[in-house]
Amino acid sequence: MTTPRPTSFPFGRALCAMVTPFTATGALDLDGAQRHADRLVAEGCDGLVLSGTTGESPTTSDTEKAELIRAVRGAVGDRARVVAGVGTADTLHTVELARAAEKAGADGLLAVTPYYSRPPQDAVEAHFRELADACGLPVALYDIPGRTGTRIEPETMIRLAAHPRIVAVKDCAYDLLGTQKVLAETELAYYTGCDEYVLALYAIGGSGYISTVANAAPRHFRAIIDAFDAGDTAGAARLQRRTIPLTELMMSSGLPGTVTAKALLGRLGLPAGPVRAPLRPADRETADGLQRAYKELTTV
């Protein structure tokens, strides 16, 4: 007997927060991006989130963001959803990025709360409504107060859910109670952005995940939700636990996930390239540890 799932998966279930590959000199590597995107989709990703934090959006230009969307769309065609990160600290700039993403061929938008200025909840709500009104794409709200400094409070989320183009949430708030309140009151599709919570959120009615670790191990995260859908909850739990050593090294090592993801991809001979300043590459010891954890995960 399978477990009932939400009726709406606007961007699929298994999404990767994709790194943005660069060349050795730091230029945008569109060929590498296409090869990486093609591999991720072939290994189980329903959707790709471009130009999020993992995609180094703070250090890519607006032109590069649009070029990346067009390249990835060309590589994956209609095999996967392409979601563009458009969140900034400036509402006008966010709207401009959203319109450019729609023109470039994105299927949806992901937007964080405006950061650093720490707007109150009425301003947060107005910001997202202006974004959702600005173009015809569905919008996922990205709740990650640890980075932005501002939460999207559950009550604000519930009000925003009434907007016809606000359809989803990437949840990195680490507030399972608040998440359940919104799930109970809305039809928002909830995607965990915390790799250690893939099964936990899915089991209480979430729609899937947007994973950084999936850059290296897309099949292993997809297997968790596939097992749960098949009714094998014990198997899903075992699969989730198997990912924890790599997730811990990649996401809890004190380095940004972009840095660790690119270090591991580089060791695996996959498109990645360097990170852009102010980020710095992982040291050899970190890369060695990531490679060992990946080998343990992928060795049956």
Side-chain angles (χ1 to χ4, degrees), residues 34-299:
Q34 288 187 314
R35 289 185 284 116
H36 187 44
D38 182 69
R39 168 183 169 266
L40 291 172
V41 174
E43 296 195 13
C45 291
D46 301 317
L48 304 173
V49 177
L50 310 180
S51 298
T53 310
T54 302
E56 297 180 75
S57 59
T59 53
T60 56
S61 69
D62 292 3
T63 298
E64 288 175 322
K65 289 177 173 66
E67 290 176 345
L68 183 64
I69 294 168
R70 286 191 288 268
V72 170
R73 169 56 73 207
V76 304
D78 60 1
R79 293 180 295 144
R81 297 288 187 176
V82 175
V83 181
V86 298
T88 75
D90 174 0
T91 301
L92 179 59
H93 189 199
T94 298
V95 166
E96 290 172 347
L97 286 174
R99 289 172 174 159
E102 184 175 30
K103 186 176 180 180
D107 297 304
L109 307 172
L110 176 70
V112 296
T113 312
Y115 39 84
Y116 189 76
S117 56
R118 303 185 69 177
Q121 290 298 297
D122 62 339
V124 169
E125 183 175 346
H127 170 84
F128 286 125
R129 288 188 182 279
E130 188 166 343
L131 167 62
D133 287 339
C135 68
L137 295 180
V139 175
L141 310 177
Y142 189 2
D143 191 17
I144 183 166
R147 284 186 181 269
T148 66
T150 303
R151 178 79 192 277
I152 310 174
E153 296 292 345
E155 294 77 12
T156 304
M157 204 83 76
I158 290 167
R159 290 193 299 272
L160 286 168
H163 195 291
R165 280 188 293 281
I166 295 177
V167 301
V169 177
K170 180 181 179 183
D171 185 9
C172 287
Y174 288 98
D175 176 15
L176 205 56
L177 178 60
T179 294
Q180 290 178 87
K181 288 180 180 179
V182 180
L183 283 170
E185 296 291 332
T186 76
E187 295 184 1
L188 289 171
Y190 256 76
Y191 296 88
T192 184
C194 306
D195 292 77
E196 68 273 29
Y197 276 93
V198 167
L199 180 57
L201 184 58
Y202 200 62
I204 61 169
S207 291
Y209 58 81
I210 300 174
S211 167
T212 294
V213 185
N215 276 282
R219 291 187 295 107
H220 298 81
F221 282 88
R222 179 60 185 253
I224 298 168
I225 58 173
D226 284 348
F228 189 85
D229 282 346
D232 183 8
T233 56
R238 285 194 297 272
L239 290 166
Q240 174 77 74
R241 288 193 295 269
R242 279 182 56 82
T243 67
I244 292 303
L246 180 58
T247 294
E248 186 172 22
L249 284 176
M250 192 174 287
M251 305 305 294
S252 301
S253 66
L255 294 172
T258 307
V259 172
T260 52
K262 283 194 164 184
L264 179 53
L265 290 170
R267 284 292 182 90
L268 299 176
L270 297 169
V275 292
R276 284 182 176 174
L279 297 180
R280 296 176 61 82
D283 60 29
R284 181 174 180 175
E285 182 179 0
T286 299
D288 287 344
L290 288 163
Q291 191 169 10
R292 284 193 300 270
Y294 175 82
K295 185 176 180 179
E296 291 172 3
L297 173 62
T298 56
T299 299

